[in-house]
Amino acid sequence: MNYKKIFGELPRNWTVGTLDQYAEVIDPHPSHRAPSEVSDGYPFLGIGDLDYYGNATFDKARHVGLEIIEEHEHNYKITETSIGYAKMGNTIGKVVSFPSRQGKTRFAVSPALSVINPNDQINPYYLRAVVESNAFWGQVNGKITGSTRPSIGIQQLRKILIPLPPEAIQERIGEIWKAIYDKISVNTNINDNLQQQAAALFANFYDHAETEVGFTEIIQILGGGTPKTGESSYWNGNVPFFTPKDVGLPYTLSTEKTITEEGLAHCNSRLYPVNTVFVTARGTVGKVGLPGVPMAMNQSCYALVGKETHQLLVYFYTLKAVDRLKHKASGAVFDAITTRDFESEIIMKLSDEDAQGFLDVAEPIYQAVLSNSIENLRLAALRDSLLPKLMSGEIDVFDIQL
């Protein structure tokens, strides 16, 4: 493959090699079968255990036995500089950061992931920046096979081309990438902590509530719709179009698809404001999130709006209701939520005094969460626009001030 078609004209003292020259690319799951789950074991990190920014978390991971853990630790050799790369399914190309093993829980990883362990010929943070780049993805995308379950073979992944600048430039690009990544991680951890505080406070008030009400007595259920897909004037506009793929933690700020004002006028969705509660009803069922900017929504979701009930209370009441619906479906396939499901739900309504006490704390918390989420989106955009120019030599890395 002609590297100039991928990277353009590189500086003279840069070289180009394949990924397997600079890293061990490991695929310890030739069968692509996930191990059996156990009730009391160790976390098994899958694609569903990644946050919005690709960090793997233990919160809702399945659990596996010690023999699986030992096998994975032997095969994967995960360290703090290891890079996870999703190699199959709808998340192919997702780049994963693993939790540190230093004093932390032992864990195994999904067969949907390959692990890339940099060697001493390349700066590990520079390699991470390359693996996240559009140039890397463009090569992967050209090697994907399969339509119903797309994937890239491990041998194909190993032969992806990597531009290699002198060591000092690698180190500087790695420093810039890590500075941005660390700031995103700090904001993400702050948001996680803030949300845990709000959830604990709500649970305390909820457990002491004495008034039972029907869910739909205080919360209105609204729907969405999709403009005609064949009408080009309806699509690729400035209106975010929320689908189950777009659920954030908790805020969604950008969506995979967008529609135009004309498209919005020709579908069954309103333009829902910030803090409307979105619930995925089909496909990926039972995810609950909040739009961080006004957006439309497709028919696979519900929009929940309070009837004189604050939207943050609607959010937490909805989490309670959806959790109950999931428990009711235990042992059965939880493949859809209907309006009747919500109509049959009973929740405990906080007293006016407790509701105000909760909101006095929760409102500034979620304003901070939204602000941090917006900053993370800006940082990610800066990373995605700046790093390609640094890696091509278009911008001098030593002109960048962190």
Side-chain angles (χ1 to χ4, degrees), residues 47-353:
I47 296 297
D49 301 307
L50 307 180
D51 67 18
Y52 186 78
Y53 299 98
N55 299 299
T57 62
F58 294 136
D59 297 348
K60 298 180 181 179
R62 300 167 53 215
H63 288 79
V64 296
L66 179 60
E67 71 282 358
I68 300 298
I69 296 296
E70 291 175 340
E71 176 190 346
H72 281 226
E73 288 178 342
H74 173 75
N75 289 335
Y76 271 125
K77 308 167 191 172
I78 291 174
T79 70
E80 64 180 13
T81 59
S82 295
I83 303 166
Y85 198 80
K87 62 176 189 265
M88 63 178 67
N90 293 331
T91 56
I92 190 168
K94 184 84 170 179
V95 184
V96 179
S97 296
F98 295 110
S100 170
R101 286 201 186 279
Q102 298 175 359
K104 301 291 180 69
T105 307
R106 299 166 76 179
F107 59 88
V109 296
S110 166
L113 295 174
S114 289
V115 173
I116 301 170
N117 287 327
N119 61 32
D120 57 8
Q121 296 185 61
I122 195 166
N123 181 284
Y125 300 113
Y126 168 76
L127 180 60
R128 174 63 185 262
V130 173
V131 170
E132 287 190 343
S133 70
N134 288 333
F136 191 94
W137 166 247
Q139 295 178 76
V140 169
N141 195 34
K143 299 177 184 293
I144 290 173
T145 60
S147 55
T148 56
R149 187 166 176 76
S151 65
I152 179 170
I154 191 70
Q155 296 302 330
Q156 297 283 351
L157 186 60
R158 287 171 176 155
K159 297 307 175 184
I160 299 297
L161 297 180
I162 305 292
L164 192 71
E167 187 175 343
I169 295 177
Q170 289 182 51
E171 183 176 351
R172 185 58 179 162
I173 292 175
E175 287 175 353
I176 294 168
W177 177 88
K178 195 170 187 305
I180 295 173
Y181 174 82
D182 286 347
K183 179 56 178 171
I184 289 175
S185 296
V186 167
N187 285 342
T188 301
N189 291 334
I190 290 172
N191 281 358
D192 289 344
N193 183 267
L194 288 172
Q195 290 178 83
Q196 289 173 24
Q197 291 180 46
L201 180 62
F202 179 81
N204 182 61
F205 282 129
Y206 191 85
D207 291 344
H208 292 90
E210 298 178 349
T211 303
E212 285 189 347
V213 298
F215 185 85
T216 54
E217 288 182 45
I218 61 172
I219 297 170
Q220 184 180 10
I221 302 174
L222 302 172
T226 301
K228 288 182 179 179
T229 55
E231 182 54 65
S232 60
S233 64
Y234 295 168
W235 295 92
N236 301 316
N238 296 320
V239 179
F241 186 67
F242 184 91
T243 74
K245 293 181 179 180
D246 299 312
V247 180
L249 294 169
Y251 282 104
T252 297
L253 296 169
S254 62
T255 55
E256 184 180 280
K257 298 177 181 178
T258 61
I259 59 175
T260 62
E261 292 290 343
E262 186 179 358
L264 179 63
H266 287 84
C267 76
N268 293 324
S269 176
R270 303 180 185 182
L271 184 63
Y272 289 108
V274 174
N275 285 338
T276 302
V277 177
F278 288 165
V279 180
T280 61
R282 286 175 289 280
T284 304
V285 180
K287 298 288 186 181
V288 181
L290 303 166
V293 295
M295 58 183 62
M297 179 191 73
N298 81 350
Q299 65 275 15
S300 294
C301 311
Y302 293 118
L304 307 185
V305 178
K307 302 175 182 178
E308 300 182 356
T309 299
H310 193 283
Q311 282 303 119
L312 288 180
L313 288 169
V314 173
Y315 176 65
F316 280 96
Y317 286 144
T318 302
L319 290 174
K320 286 287 185 183
V322 169
D323 188 57
R324 281 171 53 90
L325 290 172
K326 288 180 179 177
H327 279 91
K328 287 180 182 178
S330 180
V333 177
F334 189 51
D335 59 358
I337 297 177
T338 68
T339 55
R340 287 185 180 180
D341 291 324
F342 285 120
E343 288 167 356
S344 66
E345 280 302 304
I346 302 296
I347 57 173
M348 305 303 298
K349 182 175 182 290
L350 271 59
S351 68
D352 290 345
E353 181 180 357

